[in-house]
Amino acid sequence: MQAFDRRSLFFAALYFCEGAPMGFLWWAMPAYWKTQGLAVDRIATLTAILVLPWTLKWLWAPLIDRTSTVWPYRRWVISAQAMMGLTLIGLPLLDPNRDTALLTVLLLAHAVSAATQDVSIDAMCISSIERERRGRINGWMQAGLLLGRALFGGGALLLIAHTSLGVAVASLVAVLWSTAMLLAIWSPRRRNEVPPPVPNPTHQQVDGPSSAAGLAAILGDQRIWLAFAFALVGGTAFEGVGALLGPFLVESGVALESVGAFQLGPLAGALAIGALLGGRLADRFGHTVVAMCSLTIVAGLCVALGTADAYTQPDYHALRLGIIVALFAVVGTFTASSYALFMDLSTSRWKGTLFSAFMGATNACEAGSAFVAGQLAVNFGFPATFTMMIVPSLVGVGLLLRLRSRD
């Protein structure tokens, strides 16, 4: 089967539209807010708050699944993108120190819309992509998402430095609203998918939206709970680095414009290549195995980054940046393989709901990691923070070992 087709481009484009606001709000704005005098712990707290709707999106995911026959997933996506753009228009007019409350409300509304978009896109993917291609499709999706993050993370910082915050916001809104045109032109057909087998034979897998037996089968599958626990802790190590990356580089003496160029160039390339390669490796060697191996390497690179920062001169940036590039390349591999694993465990009728629960757990991990990393950095510094944050990720490696034994 071909490694690339129209569906790969389609879902890469949709995930680019997911990644663009993430990069802008989670990468560019923290660095920008730092230059505006906002304290690191307040930046980390605001970032953590913005992830909250992504953590809770499973609460309204059943509504999206239940109404998908009369209001298709792509209509949910288009509606969400419209609201995402509207909530960002006033951002350049707000002072992060003076207008924190209003800023938080607008960005929370944006995050709710973005999480709704995410549920719909993921459900569309699960319903249209066969299991043996999910690693590669997730590679393309993550490449699109991470490219969007980088372009509107690092790229937005460059744009702000040479123009203004208003121009950067306008560019992001244009991307969000133009993606609706793609959905109006083409979307993939649904496929009839056989749900994965459930170990407990007393529960019959029933493909119905209100089936108690179907729900019992999901809740009785130990693999679901192991994967959910893994999603809650697995990404702690690199999510802590990601949340602090802008402030870390700025405090290390890297100019804001250089931070933008780094995120736009080397970091974007590393993430995209890692995701594409990781997706193919996951389809070949197993989604669980590749996720487990890549997470172990991530933990080691986080320790290496903390060690390099502690024992090298402050102006010796090459080693730090090199480790960060390597780290995020492996993060791309981990993300593609772990998301394919979550899709494998999502049943056909409840695909949006179950996958949203997994993604909600990963977002809870991201929110918690951002908050904890911010507090640790203020009290212990960046090197100790990067090292301490690997402990939950190593627990995640152990959970993957148990999950693999039940495959």
Side-chain angles (χ1 to χ4, degrees):
M1 187 175 291
Q2 293 180 350
F4 173 82
D5 59 18
R6 186 166 56 173
R7 294 177 301 169
S8 301
L9 180 60
F10 176 79
F11 284 108
L14 288 181
Y15 257 59
F16 178 89
C17 197
E18 285 195 34
M22 290 179 182
F24 185 72
L25 295 175
W26 300 351
W27 285 8
M29 293 309 295
Y32 175 77
W33 288 330
K34 176 69 174 177
T35 66
Q36 300 301 301
L38 200 61
V40 171
D41 56 341
R42 291 185 66 188
I43 294 173
T45 300
L46 181 58
T47 304
I49 291 173
L50 294 179
V51 182
L52 184 61
W54 294 76
T55 305
L56 300 176
K57 63 187 177 181
W58 58 272
L59 291 174
W60 62 91
L63 173 64
I64 298 174
D65 277 337
R66 291 288 299 272
T67 61
S68 63
T69 55
V70 295
W71 190 261
Y73 292 125
R74 67 174 180 174
R75 291 186 182 179
W76 279 103
V77 176
I78 292 171
S79 301
Q81 288 171 344
M83 286 301 301
M84 290 167 68
L86 288 173
T87 55
L88 291 176
I89 290 176
L91 188 61
L93 304 177
L94 301 179
D95 185 313
N97 293 284
R98 185 186 66 241
D99 304 317
T100 304
L102 180 57
L103 179 66
T104 302
V105 170
L106 286 175
L107 294 184
L108 272 174
H110 172 90
V112 170
S113 301
T116 301
Q117 174 195 228
D118 183 53
V119 172
S120 306
I121 292 174
D122 290 335
M124 193 188 309
C125 179
I126 295 170
S127 65
S128 59
I129 302 299
E130 54 274 20
R131 291 169 61 88
E132 62 270 17
R133 279 190 54 82
R134 286 181 182 156
R136 280 167 285 184
I137 287 292
N138 268 279
W140 282 101
M141 290 163 66
Q142 291 308 309
L145 181 142
L146 297 170
L147 183 60
R149 275 197 179 194
L151 287 175
F152 280 89
L157 288 177
L158 293 175
L159 197 57
I160 292 170
H162 290 286
T163 57
S164 67
L165 178 60
V167 173
V169 170
S171 300
L172 176 56
V173 172
V175 167
L176 291 172
W177 287 350
S178 64
T179 307
M181 298 177 61
L182 172 65
L183 287 167
I185 295 171
W186 185 82
S187 65
R189 295 181 178 178
R190 292 193 181 192
R191 291 175 177 267
N192 293 323
E193 182 180 87
V194 177
V198 177
N200 188 346
T202 64
H203 295 304
Q204 181 181 2
Q205 189 79 13
V206 179
D207 193 24
S210 60
S211 170
L215 180 60
I218 293 173
L219 296 178
D221 189 347
Q222 291 185 352
R223 299 172 305 163
I224 299 296
W225 295 106
L226 285 171
F228 187 79
F230 159 70
L232 282 172
V233 299
T236 302
F238 66 82
E239 296 292 6
V241 174
L244 298 175
L245 184 60
F248 168 67
L249 293 176
V250 170
E251 190 167 306
S252 297
V254 181
L256 184 64
E257 187 172 349
S258 298
V259 173
F262 173 68
Q263 292 180 337
L264 178 61
L267 203 59
L271 287 166
I273 292 171
L276 292 171
L277 178 61
R280 294 185 66 83
L281 290 174
D283 283 342
R284 180 173 181 181
F285 297 106
H287 302 157
T288 306
V289 171
V290 174
M292 182 172 54
C293 294
S294 57
L295 184 56
T296 303
I297 297 172
V298 162
L301 288 171
C302 288
V303 173
L305 179 60
T307 303
D309 188 55
Y311 294 103
T312 60
Q313 295 297 320
D315 59 348
Y316 191 70
H317 303 309
L319 179 59
R320 294 180 182 85
L321 297 180
I323 294 173
I324 292 170
V325 168
L327 169 64
F328 278 87
V330 184
V331 167
T333 296
F334 169 77
T335 304
S337 56
S338 61
Y339 283 20
L341 167 64
F342 295 144
M343 285 187 175
D344 291 343
L345 294 172
S346 298
T347 57
S348 59
R349 181 57 181 173
W350 294 97
K351 51 188 169 290
T353 302
L354 188 53
F355 191 77
S356 294
F358 290 137
M359 293 296 97
T362 65
N363 296 137
C365 176
E366 184 167 5
S369 299
F371 178 78
V372 172
Q375 301 303 312
L376 290 176
V378 169
N379 291 282
F380 300 102
F382 291 112
T385 298
F386 295 153
T387 301
M388 288 187 285
M389 294 293 287
I390 75 166
V391 175
S393 289
L394 294 179
V395 173
V397 173
L399 290 169
L400 285 177
L401 281 170
R402 292 193 61 187
L403 183 61
R404 186 188 178 195
S405 69
R406 285 165 170 75
D407 285 345

